[in-house]
């Protein structure tokens, strides 16, 4: 067989192999990304930044398991509004950032992030949002360099394919009454002014921007202030009022925590010494210690 004859015989096989490769490439490009919840997205793709975390690196929801239920409610198609009334320093900003990252990457939509003032919104954008985008590869690829001309990436507005993130202050009527929005994240709503200028309640104005979307999402987050005057408490009462219940490692009794139940030694000034703090189980009376925290949280349920 001559070289020419061999080439003729192998050409169909080579063409078939090339066609198979091209078909697989088309299939890969057309296949939608796996359907993830917000917590699954964060565990798979989010990276904590050195500016905001004592332990920068890959995110792990297992470090604060109570956040899983909150985050996954935001990706549940049967839930429209999520209200989080909690103490300070429980990771509220981090799960808000995870929600922003999820919608930017998995379910593109126009988003509005509302903080008490414009200045705080700009600070949040600069110190929390921008570092997350920089250090999370899947997000870094979706946002253009803010230093490039006409990048669509500014302090108050960050554009990405299929949507944008707009940051405003609750004290700005103009910021709350512009374009239609599908996802609203309201941070520290109890610190918002009673009215945005002369336009009325900022929560109402922000929610009104979502009315054209059948699949809208509203997230209201805050540490509560005064009962009877607290926006977040009223919003909490309008929901299903779920709480995070912890099982006792000794007797298995599920219970919620009450600050007044803490026990500990007091110093000369009558102040409880942090290292001595214990918490009594309401079922068996066993005193929980700091090292029990991981077990308690891992078994917790909303």
């Amino acid at each position: 067989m001559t070289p020419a004859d061999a080439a003729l015989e192998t050409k169909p096989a080579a063409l078939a192999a090339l066609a198979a490769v091209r078909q697989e490439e088309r299939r890969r490009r057309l296949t939608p990304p796996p359907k993830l919840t917000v917590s699954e997205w964060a565990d798979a793709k989010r990276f904590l930044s050195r500016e905001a975390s004592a332990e920068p690196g890959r995110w792990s929801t297992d470090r604060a398991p109570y956040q899983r239920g909150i985050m996954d409610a935001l990706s549940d198609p049967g839930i429209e509004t999520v209200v989080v009334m909690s103490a300070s320093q429980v990771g509220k900003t981090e799960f808000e950032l995870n929600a922003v990252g999820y919608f930017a990457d998995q379910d593109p939509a126009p988003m509005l992030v509302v903080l008490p003032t414009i200045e705080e919104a700009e600070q949040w954008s600069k110190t929390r949002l921008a570092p997350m985008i920089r250090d999370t590869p899947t997000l870094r690829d979706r946002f253009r360099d803010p230093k490039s001309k006409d990048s669509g990436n500014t302090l108050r507005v960050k554009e990405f394919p299929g949507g944008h993130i707009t940051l405003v202050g609750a004290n700005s009527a103009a910021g709350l009454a512009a374009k239609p929005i599908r996802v609203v994240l309201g941070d520290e709503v109890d610190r918002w002014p009673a009215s945005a200028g002369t336009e009325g309640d900022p929560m109402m104005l922000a929610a009104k921007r979502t009315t054209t979307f059948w699949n809208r999402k509203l997230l209201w987050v805050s540490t509560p202030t005064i009962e009877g005057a607290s926006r977040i408490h009223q919003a909490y009462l309008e929901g299903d009022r779920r709480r995070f219940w912890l099982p006792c490692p000794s007797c298995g009794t599920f219970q919620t925590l009450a600050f007044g139940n803490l026990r500990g030694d007091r110093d000369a000034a009558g102040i409880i010494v942090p290292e001595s703090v214990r918490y009594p189980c309401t079922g068996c009376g066993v005193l929980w210690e700091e090292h029990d925290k991981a077990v308690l949280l891992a078994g917790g349920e909303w």
Side-chain angles (χ1 to χ4, degrees):
M1 179 182 295
T2 66
D5 292 333
L8 288 174
E9 285 192 7
T10 58
K11 188 175 182 180
L15 290 174
L18 179 59
V21 170
R22 287 176 174 172
Q23 184 176 0
E24 175 60 23
E25 178 64 16
R26 284 194 295 269
R27 185 199 64 77
R28 186 185 65 79
R29 290 182 178 182
L30 294 175
T31 299
K35 191 70 174 179
L36 302 174
T37 66
V38 175
S39 69
E40 289 171 342
W41 177 88
D43 286 332
K45 300 187 178 185
R46 170 81 193 278
F47 283 82
L48 293 167
S49 305
R50 61 183 179 274
E51 294 94 332
S53 176
E55 298 181 45
R58 188 175 289 279
W59 167 276
S60 174
T61 306
D62 287 341
R63 289 177 177 264
Y66 55 85
Q67 294 180 349
R68 181 173 284 106
I70 297 169
M71 290 190 288
D72 290 351
L74 289 166
S75 48
D76 186 331
I79 297 175
E80 180 181 274
T81 304
V82 179
V83 177
V84 183
M85 180 175 69
S86 74
S88 59
Q89 300 301 313
V90 295
K92 295 192 294 292
T93 299
E94 295 306 329
F95 64 68
E96 289 171 350
L97 288 167
N98 286 341
V100 168
Y102 168 85
F103 283 106
D105 183 50
Q106 292 282 300
D107 190 9
M111 289 181 269
L112 181 70
V113 180
V114 188
L115 285 94
T117 66
I118 294 174
E119 291 75 20
E120 287 177 272
E122 292 183 345
Q123 188 70 6
W124 196 88
S125 175
K126 183 187 302 182
T127 63
R128 307 307 293 270
L129 180 57
M132 178 182 74
I133 293 172
R134 180 198 66 208
D135 295 333
T136 302
T138 188
L139 296 179
R140 188 167 61 239
D141 293 341
R142 296 187 67 78
F143 292 86
R144 296 177 63 183
D145 186 343
K147 296 179 182 178
S148 64
K149 187 177 181 181
D150 300 325
S151 69
N153 186 346
T154 67
L155 203 55
R156 297 189 191 178
V157 179
K158 297 186 181 297
E159 299 175 353
F160 56 87
H164 59 83
I165 305 166
T166 300
L167 294 104
V168 301
N171 58 345
S172 170
L176 293 170
K179 302 175 183 177
I181 293 293
R182 185 183 142 210
V183 180
V184 172
L185 287 80
D187 185 72
E188 293 299 343
V189 299
D190 269 15
R191 291 178 46 227
W192 291 9
S195 178
T198 59
E199 299 299 318
D201 181 18
M203 283 183 73
M204 180 192 69
L205 293 174
K208 191 174 181 180
R209 292 181 60 176
T210 66
T211 54
T212 58
F213 290 91
W214 64 270
N215 57 346
R216 70 176 184 168
K217 290 288 183 181
L218 302 170
L219 172 64
W220 308 121
V221 178
S222 189
T223 300
T225 51
I226 302 172
E227 188 172 358
S230 170
R231 277 195 178 96
I232 199 67
H233 185 240
Q234 182 57 43
Y236 171 77
L237 294 178
E238 293 170 2
D240 61 13
R241 309 185 195 184
R242 69 183 66 182
R243 302 176 73 184
F244 196 64
W245 293 71
L246 302 174
C248 175
S250 297
C251 70
T253 299
F254 273 84
Q255 56 208 278
T256 58
L257 303 183
F259 187 79
N261 289 348
L262 289 172
R263 301 289 181 267
D265 302 328
R266 296 181 181 274
D267 61 18
I271 299 173
I272 292 179
V273 179
E275 294 77 11
S276 72
V277 170
R278 306 288 186 271
Y279 193 95
C281 168
T282 57
C284 65
V286 166
L287 293 176
W288 302 341
E289 302 187 42
E290 177 65 22
H291 61 75
D292 294 315
K293 181 178 177 181
V295 175
L296 290 165
L297 291 176
E301 296 181 8
W302 283 102

